Amino acid sequence: MAQENLSTPTESVLTDHVYDGITEYDNPTPGWWHLIFFGTIVFSLLYFPIYHFSPFVLSPQQAIAERSQREMQKRFGSLASIPLDNDKMLMLMTDEKWLDAGKAIYSTRCALCHGVSGEGLVGPNMTDDYYKNVRTLTDFVTVVTDGAANGLMPPQKSLLNAGQIEVVSAYVATMRGANIPGRQPEGDLIDSWPEVQRAKTPD
């Protein structure tokens, strides 16, 4: 009975339209249909300017960048409270967690010029004991931050945050002494890193 009531309009009036013997009812469009139709129009008028122009709605790219920034801050924020000195660099050089982070950054930002293993390609070999712009461990941070060689080594300060620069600098410092065949030594022979020097100092 309920199905019959739904399919059979009440107080139906036939129109004058006849197609192949088929007539049609002159039923008005339901109110709910108008409500949805005009509601859709109002929604689209509000949606377009809010989604595309509102500063409170992020685009997919902005949302990804913001999540990445939060992740970077969460991951490297703890390093910001530690002053940059040789002790901090030595700590980073001996912590597997930070070395893994530095290696990942090196693979994406440095390997193209310095080689996957630091053997040197366009950039110097990082596995020998000779350096052109480095004398202490913290010099790595300066070079990575500001670049060197009149721009041949591009600055990374606009691409990496301070924590990322420190961990990749520490990772590069650990390459020293591997002496992987590649580009010939460049620069000057410098003193051993403090940790190595202490290890060689007799008691």
Side-chain angles (χ1 to χ4, degrees), residues 40-201:
T40 302
I41 295 175
V42 172
F43 175 80
S44 64
L45 293 176
L46 295 175
Y47 175 85
F48 183 81
I50 291 175
Y51 182 80
H52 290 283
F53 304 112
S54 172
F56 303 105
V57 179
L58 300 179
S59 67
Q61 294 80 7
Q62 290 172 323
I64 292 173
E66 185 176 275
R67 284 198 298 271
S68 177
Q69 182 66 26
R70 286 200 301 268
E71 180 63 27
M72 289 297 104
Q73 184 62 33
K74 180 179 178 182
R75 189 173 186 185
F76 296 99
S78 61
L79 294 178
S81 60
I82 306 174
L84 177 62
D85 55 20
N86 282 335
D87 289 339
K88 182 177 185 178
M89 293 296 291
L90 290 172
M91 180 274 291
L92 296 175
M93 292 167 64
T94 54
D95 188 310
E96 290 297 325
K97 175 185 68 177
W98 295 123
L99 286 177
D100 288 343
K103 182 178 181 179
I105 297 170
Y106 177 89
S107 298
T108 58
R109 303 297 315 169
C110 314
L112 185 63
C113 293
H114 292 285
V116 174
S117 301
E119 69 275 18
L121 295 173
V122 179
N125 190 327
M126 306 306 297
T127 66
D128 55 39
D129 295 318
Y130 292 80
Y131 294 88
K132 294 194 290 186
N133 301 291
V134 171
R135 296 294 179 271
T136 67
L137 288 172
T138 55
D139 288 342
F140 281 107
V141 176
T142 301
V143 172
V144 175
T145 301
D146 299 326
N150 295 321
L152 292 178
M153 164 66 192
Q156 302 295 309
K157 57 187 174 186
S158 62
L159 303 172
L160 303 174
N161 63 37
Q164 290 174 303
I165 289 176
E166 290 172 358
V167 296
V168 74
S169 297
Y171 175 73
V172 172
T174 64
M175 292 179 169
R176 182 180 182 180
N179 293 311
I180 298 175
R183 189 159 166 150
Q184 293 300 306
E186 300 169 75
D188 302 319
L189 178 65
I190 66 172
D191 295 336
S192 302
W193 301 143
E195 182 183 42
V196 177
Q197 191 173 38
R198 284 200 298 270
K200 291 181 178 178
T201 302

